[in-house]
Amino acid sequence: MTSIMTSLLATPGHFSLPLSCNRKTADTKRLRYKQDVLLCLLRAKKLRPERHAIRNLLGLLAARMEQYDEAMGHFMKITSEEQDACNLNAFANMKHVCEFQYRFREAESYENKLRQYANLATSEDGGEILSMQCESRKVHARCMAEQGFAVAFDLDDMPHKFQGHRYRKAYDLFRTALRAGKEDVSDDEMQEWKYNLGIICYNIGIALKDIREGEWEMYLKESLSCLSETCMVNDENMAAESWCYIAKVLDVCKYNDSMLEWIKSHKELASFPGNTEECIYNAKQIKPDKASVYVHHAEMIKESQERSLEAVQLIDKAIDLDNKSVLRRKAYSLRGEIHKKMYSAQIHTFREYIFYKSDDDDFEQRPLEPDRDILHKAKDDFETATSIAVNSFDLAALGKIWHLLAKDLLGEVFSTSDQEEQVQHNLNKALMYFTQATHCMDGALDATVNHMRGLCLLDSEEKEAALESFKLAIECQPVGHKNIDHFACLMEVYLSLICDNLGDQRYQTRLLSEMVYWSEIAITGYGPSDVRDYILHTDQWSDMPEAVDVFLKFCESTDHPKVHMVFSAAKSRTVRPKIERRLSLKVSPSRNATTNKPPPAPASAPAKVTGRPSFDILAADKAECETTPRRPIKSELQSSNQENGNNVSHTNAPSGDASNLANIPSNSEQDVVLSNDLKTDEIPEAPEHARFEGYVNDFFVIYSPSSSDWVHYNLLPKLERTQGLKGCTKDRDFIAGRYVVQNYTRCIDKSAVVLLIITKDFESRSDCQSFMSHALTPEEGKDVRPVIPIVRDDCKIPSVLRNITPFHAMGVLNWNKLGDAIEYLVKTPEES
């Protein structure tokens, strides 16, 4: 207990917590929205213990908007005699606000009070002694719980995929607070903490559900344990919300036998309602006029197409009950999401009928054409939601809707001359919203946002830009998620660009080298079997045979046998033919509307893919069923093959190639070796001129062989193509016939900045160490050359670099930040 309390004393207050408002780039509009939400909560909790946690957070938000008097007012309200005169967070927060305004004497007085109420005294030998009296345990536990509330509240309007690891901070704070204050805190306050912990556990469980089997169940069990107590309290708001979250937990667990068995065997839960509807009924009985209860109910049934209209009616009811407070933002966002899903389901059914209907198919009648008014309703709802507050999810949804409005019912962009201006306007609006989504907190890290932007860029004829979006989507995939659609779109754009540039050998070589690099990443990450299955079940690998042949020959000639073996499946696949449409569609004509193949080219010229490659069948959001029927997943293929007595390949594959495909290792095998011995003709060419005057190169890269691929197919394209810089590497720019030392010293001396790629094998390489030392040694009469360590592995930084701030290149990278750092070091050498 003593160690727990002592560790907390170093950071009381809210200004050092990992909150979005504590970032330098905090969005003022979002801060105001959060402030309004907290004021609504404060009105509901005005007599509850949680009011102090709310006021502390209100004060923080006011201070971040430079409303210092208002901030101090909130903190002083907390520490008044009738409230909580010993509130550690309030005193720490007042100290910070006073320091912001250079009121140091006043700040010192608050620091003294903080020490006093924390029961710290200074002994004669300078050590600190922590008193563990009852009142001290209470104030420390409350301090942790208030910080836990702040962290959890900050994540409330973010997608679940970003919440898991961040909610753990709030989870740890509340768990510690409950242990520390269980004997000294009032029952009301303890119930508040358990209620918050129950919701936090639910959110962590949802975030981990598809990633860590077993761990997510542990959190949901703890959630039920906490909420089973708080659903019985006298506070009607807390009891109703607890029943709603119990319903959501039961809804998640309804197909999980082990969770259901645990619930039945748990004596405290044995008397609980057997289904989610009864839990929601209990919530409505307790608080029939609470809008959030109806929103929770709609959220649980929104995935069922049969109950979509019911979900919309529930949200309509919630908006009628609360059409003034900022809390209605979630209702509008959810209704927009349901409308978008309804339209996507209609599109899916309609395209399946048009493209794949045959006499043997079980279609009772032709489905109705999708109602685009539903799409406009979704747009209006999301626009209302973003007028209240913005987040990446709502902005990306608006981008998706504007993208859909640019396309006909078959998924092709309208191409008639009378609609050309409107189509371009819709595409521009979509790209604007996608860009805004990436500028929101965590939007740039969202794989789905980057994927949807890539699809929109393709329809705007911006294939090179689309490549970068799909690469980002691959890099942004959360750990444990293996969505091969990002890689599929990336490869098909590469094939399309190769078809467009069959006569440009130099440009083709660059594209093919990048294709090999990303293919090796995919084979390692997804597994050879899944990559092979993707090739066997998408039409584009037979739609562009010239590009496929060029790619396979390149793999063979540059000695990439693993890639060649996996992708040679494209030569053995059989395309599922689409049935010719027999219907007269009442839709605007669009390019290539009847088939997914590009228009035929003259016999004398190679087929050139114009416009967007036809891979709308790859869903950007599988849950929305927006595209034509998805390809079977690996488990379905294995089941089908086993039934037919074939454990090797897709049933359409010729038997002659089955033995070759059988040799491809499964996902569990991790023996794929990436090629580190690059050939110079595979590496993209350098720009002609450096950006900074007086230098031949803007930067020179020192790296070990294990980083070679990453340097040439990640770092160079990002810095050279996107940032407009000229790089220099040993594999591309060294002059044959010169001594290695001469090449290194020449390139280092003629470069503005040196980048050191720090990996686990960097320090063991004598050449890397030698030339790093040369880069760090100033020339006679000159300043020290700017050096940026780029850390690629979880490894120790060489001791000579420990005083230099590194750029961490693990996970999703902010390339703009690296480009800005290079520019800053070049333009302000006296400071560097």
Side-chain angles (χ1 to χ4, degrees):
M1 179 67 74
T2 302
S3 62
I4 293 172
M5 296 302 180
T6 304
S7 64
L8 175 72
L9 290 173
T11 54
H14 288 56
F15 286 86
S16 58
L17 291 176
L19 307 177
S20 58
C21 63
N22 285 333
R23 296 182 178 182
K24 292 181 179 180
T25 56
D27 179 17
T28 303
K29 184 177 180 180
R30 189 169 188 267
L31 295 183
R32 290 199 183 98
Y33 165 72
K34 290 284 190 181
Q35 200 174 44
D36 291 339
V37 173
L38 285 169
L39 289 171
C40 291
L41 289 176
L42 186 60
R43 286 192 289 270
K45 301 276 189 179
K46 58 184 177 181
L47 298 177
R48 298 287 301 178
E50 203 169 41
R51 66 189 183 277
H52 305 317
I54 296 171
R55 283 202 175 99
N56 263 314
L57 195 46
L58 277 169
L60 172 67
L61 295 176
R64 289 306 184 194
M65 292 187 284
E66 299 184 357
Q67 300 166 355
Y68 298 121
D69 290 342
E70 183 179 338
M72 292 296 288
H74 285 299
F75 301 139
M76 288 179 176
K77 179 72 173 176
I78 296 169
T79 57
S80 60
E81 289 297 331
E82 67 275 12
Q83 298 295 324
D84 184 8
C86 304
N87 192 286
L88 299 182
N89 284 319
F91 284 116
N93 290 336
M94 284 192 282
K95 171 182 173 289
H96 279 288
V97 173
C98 289
E99 288 174 343
F100 290 156
Q101 302 175 79
Y102 301 99
R103 293 154 52 182
F104 294 116
R105 288 186 180 179
E106 195 174 347
E108 187 177 356
S109 69
Y110 290 125
E111 184 173 6
N112 291 335
K113 288 184 178 180
L114 178 63
R115 284 181 169 274
Q116 174 189 345
Y117 292 122
N119 265 337
L120 278 174
T122 305
S123 64
E124 292 181 359
D125 61 356
E128 290 186 334
I129 304 171
L130 178 62
S131 170
M132 297 301 295
Q133 300 171 353
C134 168
E135 187 65 22
S136 179
R137 286 198 299 267
K138 182 169 72 174
V139 297
H140 285 292
R142 184 174 293 160
C143 179
M144 287 181 276
E146 288 173 353
Q147 290 184 342
F149 171 84
V151 174
F153 177 80
D154 190 57
L155 301 172
D156 184 55
D157 60 345
M158 291 174 59
H160 284 297
K161 56 189 161 187
F162 296 121
Q163 293 177 346
H165 69 284
R166 293 177 183 172
Y167 262 120
R168 289 178 190 270
K169 172 71 173 177
Y171 173 83
D172 291 340
L173 286 165
F174 271 113
R175 283 292 302 271
T176 307
L178 284 166
R179 290 199 305 270
K182 62 182 178 181
E183 298 177 359
D184 309 301
V185 176
S186 67
D187 290 342
D188 284 349
E189 195 160 10
M190 189 65 69
Q191 294 300 337
E192 294 275 10
W193 298 355
K194 287 183 178 179
Y195 165 72
N196 280 287
L197 183 61
I199 295 174
I200 289 167
C201 288
Y202 165 77
N203 284 308
I204 295 176
I206 294 299
L208 298 179
K209 186 174 184 298
D210 298 323
I211 304 175
R212 299 184 185 176
E213 189 174 350
E215 188 174 352
W216 68 275
E217 297 175 0
M218 177 190 73
Y219 284 104
L220 292 186
K221 289 175 183 178
E222 188 168 357
S223 176
L224 281 178
S225 297
C226 293
L227 296 171
S228 64
E229 295 184 39
T230 59
C231 69
M232 304 298 181
V233 298
N234 294 327
D235 185 335
E236 292 182 348
N237 286 309
M238 186 191 297
E241 286 286 331
S242 296
W243 277 117
C244 289
Y245 275 99
I246 290 170
K248 292 169 88 167
V249 173
L250 294 176
D251 187 58
V252 172
C253 302
K254 61 187 175 185
Y255 299 119
N256 187 288
D257 293 336
S258 63
M259 278 295 294
L260 294 176
E261 287 296 323
W262 179 85
I263 292 171
K264 291 177 182 178
S265 63
H266 204 280
K267 60 180 182 180
E268 295 179 6
L269 305 176
S271 60
F272 264 36
N275 59 65
T276 58
E277 296 295 330
E278 291 182 49
C279 295
I280 292 294
Y281 175 79
N282 289 344
K284 291 178 181 178
Q285 287 293 103
I286 295 171
K287 201 73 175 170
D289 59 344
K290 189 172 179 61
S292 63
V293 172
Y294 296 91
V295 174
H296 284 306
H297 193 188
E299 199 170 12
M300 284 189 294
I301 66 173
K302 69 178 182 180
E303 300 298 338
S304 171
Q305 292 185 25
E306 294 78 12
R307 303 187 70 180
S308 295
L309 290 176
E310 182 186 350
V312 171
Q313 292 169 358
L314 287 167
I315 297 176
D316 291 342
K317 173 77 171 175
I319 293 173
D320 288 341
L321 290 170
D322 181 11
N323 196 29
K324 293 184 179 180
S325 80
V326 292
L327 298 176
R328 73 191 189 281
R329 184 207 66 82
K330 185 173 183 179
Y332 280 109
S333 177
L334 183 58
R335 190 170 68 180
E337 183 184 355
I338 295 171
H339 279 137
K340 186 158 69 80
K341 285 181 180 290
M342 290 169 65
Y343 179 79
S344 298
Q346 292 179 4
I347 281 284
H348 170 73
T349 304
F350 183 77
R351 292 181 190 171
E352 187 177 52
Y353 177 81
I354 297 302
F355 286 134
Y356 296 117
K357 178 186 181 299
S358 69
D359 294 335
D360 299 328
D361 290 333
D362 185 19
F363 282 97
E364 295 181 2
Q365 60 182 3
R366 174 188 174 181
L368 295 174
E369 291 184 8
D371 184 1
R372 291 175 80 86
D373 287 341
I374 296 177
L375 200 57
H376 284 282
K377 289 179 181 178
K379 178 175 73 70
D380 293 342
D381 282 333
F382 281 116
E383 285 176 346
T384 302
T386 53
S387 69
I388 300 169
V390 294
N391 62 31
S392 61
F393 176 83
D394 291 345
L395 290 170
L398 272 171
K400 183 71 173 178
I401 290 168
W402 280 103
H403 190 194
L404 289 172
L405 289 173
K407 299 194 287 188
D408 63 20
L409 301 182
L410 301 179
E412 298 290 337
V413 174
F414 289 114
S415 60
T416 55
S417 57
D418 60 324
Q419 291 179 315
E420 185 175 348
E421 185 176 344
Q422 184 61 44
V423 166
Q424 194 57 51
H425 170 266
N426 291 348
L427 290 174
N428 290 341
K429 290 280 283 187
L431 289 172
M432 178 192 74
Y433 281 117
F434 287 136
T435 302
Q436 289 179 359
T438 61
H439 291 165
C440 288
M441 186 174 76
D442 293 322
L445 309 180
D446 193 328
T448 304
V449 172
N450 285 299
H451 185 97
M452 291 191 293
R453 182 167 65 167
L455 294 177
C456 190
L457 285 165
L458 281 174
D459 282 332
S460 301
E461 305 292 341
E462 298 287 351
K463 295 182 185 179
E464 285 276 4
L467 284 177
E468 298 307 315
S469 288
F470 292 131
K471 290 175 188 176
L472 279 172
I474 294 171
E475 292 175 344
C476 292
Q477 286 187 100
V479 176
H481 286 269
K482 293 186 176 182
N483 184 357
I484 202 170
D485 286 349
H486 308 318
F487 172 70
C489 288
L490 178 70
M491 294 301 286
E492 286 152 12
V493 181
Y494 274 128
L495 291 175
S496 173
L497 285 168
I498 289 171
C499 283
D500 291 349
N501 299 275
L502 285 174
D504 189 341
Q505 188 65 36
R506 181 176 295 177
Y507 181 64
Q508 240 186 59
T509 301
R510 194 257 287 178
L511 295 176
L512 291 166
S513 301
E514 292 182 10
M515 283 182 75
V516 169
Y517 171 72
W518 288 100
S519 297
E520 289 179 323
I521 288 177
I523 292 169
T524 304
Y526 304 124
S529 298
D530 276 0
V531 176
R532 179 201 63 195
D533 291 343
Y534 140 66
I535 296 168
L536 290 172
H537 294 91
T538 49
D539 294 347
Q540 285 67 38
W541 289 89
S542 59
D543 286 347
M544 294 178 273
E546 300 96 336
V548 174
D549 287 340
V550 169
F551 177 58
L552 292 176
K553 288 176 182 176
F554 181 83
C555 293
E556 193 172 10
S557 64
T558 55
D559 194 23
H560 292 92
K562 183 70 69 173
V563 178
H564 186 274
M565 179 184 291
V566 173
F567 283 84
S568 61
K571 304 293 289 183
S572 61
R573 67 181 302 279
T574 303
V575 183
R576 177 186 177 185
K578 291 185 179 179
I579 305 302
E580 290 291 331
R581 289 182 296 141
R582 315 164 193 153
L583 307 170
S584 176
L585 299 177
K586 297 179 180 180
V587 296
S588 300
S590 61
R591 63 171 177 264
N592 313 329
T594 306
T595 178
N596 269 352
K597 292 187 178 181
S604 58
K608 181 179 175 96
V609 178
T610 58
R612 172 180 173 174
S614 54
F615 47 82
D616 268 352
I617 60 170
L618 297 166
D621 184 356
K622 292 183 180 179
E624 291 183 10
C625 300
E626 181 191 310
T627 55
T628 52
R630 63 172 175 80
R631 61 182 178 83
I633 60 176
K634 182 181 175 184
S635 58
E636 293 172 346
L637 291 168
Q638 289 173 337
S639 175
S640 174
N641 291 337
Q642 288 168 2
E643 289 176 6
N644 293 316
N646 184 355
N647 294 322
V648 178
S649 64
H650 182 239
T651 53
N652 287 336
S655 57
D657 291 333
S659 58
N660 292 332
L661 292 175
N663 293 325
I664 299 176
S666 65
N667 282 350
S668 60
E669 297 181 28
Q670 300 295 325
D671 59 345
V672 179
V673 180
L674 301 185
S675 172
N676 291 320
D677 298 324
L678 289 165
K679 297 176 174 59
T680 54
D681 61 350
E682 297 180 41
I683 302 172
E685 286 195 353
E688 189 174 351
H689 301 291
R691 196 169 106 191
F692 304 116
E693 293 184 8
Y695 297 99
V696 175
N697 309 301
D698 294 311
F699 62 90
F700 176 68
V701 193
I702 299 177
Y703 55 92
S704 64
S706 65
S707 297
S708 187
D709 278 4
W710 182 83
V711 167
H712 292 97
Y713 301 122
N714 255 15
L715 184 138
L716 286 184
K718 294 294 191 303
L719 293 182
E720 291 186 337
R721 291 185 219 157
T722 308
Q723 302 293 324
L725 300 169
K726 180 184 178 183
C728 179
T729 71
K730 62 179 180 180
D731 290 296
R732 184 180 68 182
D733 301 290
F734 277 13
I735 298 174
R738 278 193 173 184
Y739 287 111
V740 174
V741 173
Q742 289 179 325
N743 270 317
Y744 263 109
T745 55
R746 177 185 64 87
C747 292
I748 290 173
D749 295 342
K750 292 187 177 183
S751 300
V753 177
V754 175
L755 307 182
L756 304 173
I757 312 302
I758 309 299
T759 52
K760 291 178 180 178
D761 59 339
F762 183 88
E763 203 160 9
S764 63
R765 299 277 307 185
S766 59
D767 56 338
C768 292
Q769 294 298 305
S770 173
F771 298 117
M772 176 181 67
S773 298
H774 177 78
L776 292 169
T777 304
E779 296 181 53
E780 187 175 349
K782 294 185 179 181
D783 295 328
V784 178
R785 183 179 294 98
V787 170
I788 301 178
I790 299 178
V791 182
R792 282 276 297 146
D793 288 334
D794 185 15
C795 58
K796 289 184 178 180
I797 297 177
S799 56
V800 295
L801 300 175
R802 285 176 186 166
N803 291 327
I804 303 176
T805 304
F807 177 81
H808 290 281
M810 293 176 284
V812 183
L813 308 187
N814 186 344
W815 294 103
N816 290 333
K817 184 177 180 180
L818 180 57
D820 292 344
I822 293 172
E823 182 175 4
Y824 176 82
L825 292 173
V826 174
K827 292 185 176 180
T828 57
E830 67 282 354
E831 295 182 20
S832 61

